[in-house]
Amino acid sequence: MPGEGDAMWRIGRLARMAGVSERTLRHYDKIGLLVPAAVDRTTGYRWYGVTELSRLERIRGLQRLGLPLRQIADLLDAPEAQVRQALTEILANIRRDIATLAATAAHAEDHLAVPMSILPQQTAVDSRRLRVRRMRLDHPAELAAVCPAPPAALLTWLRGRPTGGFAVAVTTDGAGEQLFLPARTVVRAVVPPSAGVVRAGQDLFGWLHRHRLEVTGPTVEEHLIDGDGAHAIVLEVTVNSRRCIRAA
């Protein structure tokens, strides 16, 4: 047991000096991060010295820089260059998190500012092949008549409200042209039962315009049905992709 002249402190004193709890120090001891300089065999008291105080300050400093305890254990006695590399990676992750949070906040603000029937999301989708029959329509009101019963998909090559005739493709189980959609980035929205597909489409294109996303491919209006007969419509608009649709 240290004498009175030794620069040694019990766990409570060290906790107060460093601004941590005794429970934290016991945890550090348990995981081998900060082992006491001595332990009294009779009383079980932990004793800490200047070396342990300095080590504790380094642990706390690395925690404030965003390093988790498991990484601090590996870096506590590592060269400074290794610590700097770890901090560089932590900083890159923080910046990515900030960018993600900023985008999330922008989407929430947009939804609050402009009432919408849908909640669009941007995502990547794999390539797919469809068998379709193509046609041209003169007015959007004709779309309902050409789309077959679900499951089916309707493709339109529009970048907003049409001002004249426009191209359409409808999936078919019979004879038709094979259409290849490459892997691409899309903005997708599920149309809720309370909203019509026309309104949802208008909301979706408005959202794309506000977020300055360029439409670079077809809108896929997919009519789905599950085993219980429940029906859903999913809208997908291809954006920011330079690859073109080609017939196979």
Side-chain angles (χ1 to χ4, degrees):
M1 178 175 175
E4 292 183 0
D6 298 330
M8 300 287 279
W9 312 284
R10 282 173 51 181
I11 190 170
R13 175 73 183 279
L14 181 66
R16 291 191 295 273
M17 291 169 63
V20 300
S21 67
E22 293 183 29
R23 181 179 180 182
T24 295
L25 293 179
R26 291 191 183 95
H27 178 64
Y28 289 174
D29 184 12
K30 181 179 180 181
I31 64 176
L33 194 60
L34 183 65
V35 178
V39 178
D40 190 299
R41 293 182 179 179
T42 304
T43 64
Y45 291 156
R46 294 171 171 88
W47 292 91
Y48 298 85
V50 171
T51 299
E52 289 70 42
L53 175 61
S54 298
R55 187 176 179 87
L56 177 58
E57 286 302 307
R58 183 165 174 79
I59 293 169
R60 302 290 286 169
L62 291 174
Q63 275 189 307
R64 285 191 290 271
L65 292 174
L67 292 170
L69 287 181
R70 63 181 181 277
Q71 197 168 8
I72 290 174
D74 296 332
L75 295 173
L76 202 53
D77 301 312
E80 182 61 21
Q82 190 174 340
V83 175
R84 292 180 67 84
Q85 176 60 35
L87 291 177
T88 298
E89 295 171 3
I90 288 286
L91 183 58
N93 290 335
I94 289 172
R95 285 174 173 161
R96 280 194 293 270
D97 290 343
I98 290 172
T100 299
L101 289 172
T104 301
H107 291 168
E109 289 172 351
D110 178 80
H111 193 74
L112 290 172
V114 182
M116 293 181 64
S117 61
I118 54 175
L119 290 170
Q121 62 171 327
Q122 188 171 328
T123 187
V125 296
D126 292 333
S127 61
R128 62 186 297 193
R129 294 180 183 273
L130 301 172
R131 187 166 296 279
V132 302
R133 57 187 177 92
R134 291 180 182 265
M135 63 192 76
R136 285 191 65 83
L137 300 182
D138 296 323
H139 193 275
E142 301 175 43
L143 287 171
V146 301
C147 189
L154 174 70
L155 292 84
T156 55
W157 283 261
L158 296 171
R159 285 166 171 75
R161 187 183 296 274
T163 56
F166 57 96
V168 172
V170 181
T171 55
T172 177
D173 293 330
E177 172 187 355
Q178 193 176 80
L179 190 66
F180 176 68
L181 299 177
R184 61 209 183 278
T185 300
V186 302
V187 172
R188 174 188 294 150
V190 177
V191 182
S194 58
V197 68
V198 174
R199 178 191 170 192
Q202 292 172 347
D203 286 348
L204 182 57
F205 277 103
W207 187 91
L208 294 172
H209 177 73
R210 291 193 300 278
H211 288 265
R212 299 181 181 180
L213 289 172
E214 180 186 6
V215 179
T216 57
T219 297
V220 180
E221 178 185 317
E222 192 145 19
H223 293 250
L224 306 174
I225 190 168
D226 65 17
D228 296 327
H231 178 216
I233 300 175
V234 178
L235 296 178
E236 283 186 355
V237 182
T238 304
V239 296
N240 296 343
S241 172
R242 297 187 179 279
R243 284 175 285 187
C244 300
I245 294 201
R246 64 181 186 276

